[in-house]
Amino acid sequence: MQTCRIVVAVIVLHLLAGCAAFKDTPRQDYTWEMATRCRASPAGTGAAYVARVDPDGRWSANTQSDGWRTDRPKLFECMQEQFQATPYRQWLEQPQRGPCPRGCQR
C-alpha cells in the first residue's frame, strides 16, 4: 500500500512538471505578437487569422467565412510587413514583460 502511494505521488509530480513545460517558445510568442498587430491593423485582415504557430515560428492561417480568397492575402502581406518592421532578433532584444499569450500586445 505504501509503495502504491509513492508511485502515485511520483506520477503526479511528473505530470505537474510536464504541464509547466507547456508554454510557447520565443519564436511562437514573436509570431503571435505579429499576428495580433495584423488583427489590430487599421487595414485589417478581414476574416483571416493566424490559427496555429509551431514551436519554430511557422504559422498557418484560417478564415471565419468565405474570405479565403480576399482576406488571406491581406493577412500574409501584413505578416510579412510585421516581420520586416520588427525582425526577430530586434524583438528578442526588446525588454520582455513576461510571456505573450495569444491576443496580447506588447
Side-chain angles (χ1 to χ4, degrees):
M1 189 65 164
Q2 184 69 14
T3 304
C4 184
R5 287 183 188 164
I6 292 172
V7 169
V8 168
V10 169
I11 289 172
V12 168
L13 287 174
H14 277 78
L15 288 174
L16 290 174
C19 290
F22 287 122
K23 67 178 192 170
D24 287 348
T25 66
R27 279 276 185 196
Q28 285 173 307
D29 287 342
Y30 168 70
T31 304
W32 281 121
E33 184 174 328
M34 299 304 113
T36 300
R37 291 179 186 180
C38 286
R39 292 291 283 180
S41 165
T45 56
Y49 61 95
V50 173
R52 189 185 88 221
V53 178
D54 292 336
D56 64 358
R58 287 180 295 154
W59 57 279
S60 61
N62 205 348
T63 62
Q64 297 171 345
S65 63
D66 61 347
W68 192 248
R69 286 193 179 121
T70 58
D71 296 336
R72 184 175 168 267
K74 290 180 195 175
L75 175 63
F76 277 80
E77 182 180 338
C78 181
M79 290 294 284
Q80 285 305 104
E81 290 171 1
Q82 293 303 321
F83 291 143
Q84 289 175 356
T86 310
Y88 178 67
R89 294 271 182 216
Q90 178 184 341
W91 178 85
L92 267 180
E93 293 170 0
Q94 294 174 354
Q96 300 295 313
R97 291 179 261 172
C100 183
R102 293 178 192 143
C104 81
Q105 292 186 359
R106 290 191 194 265

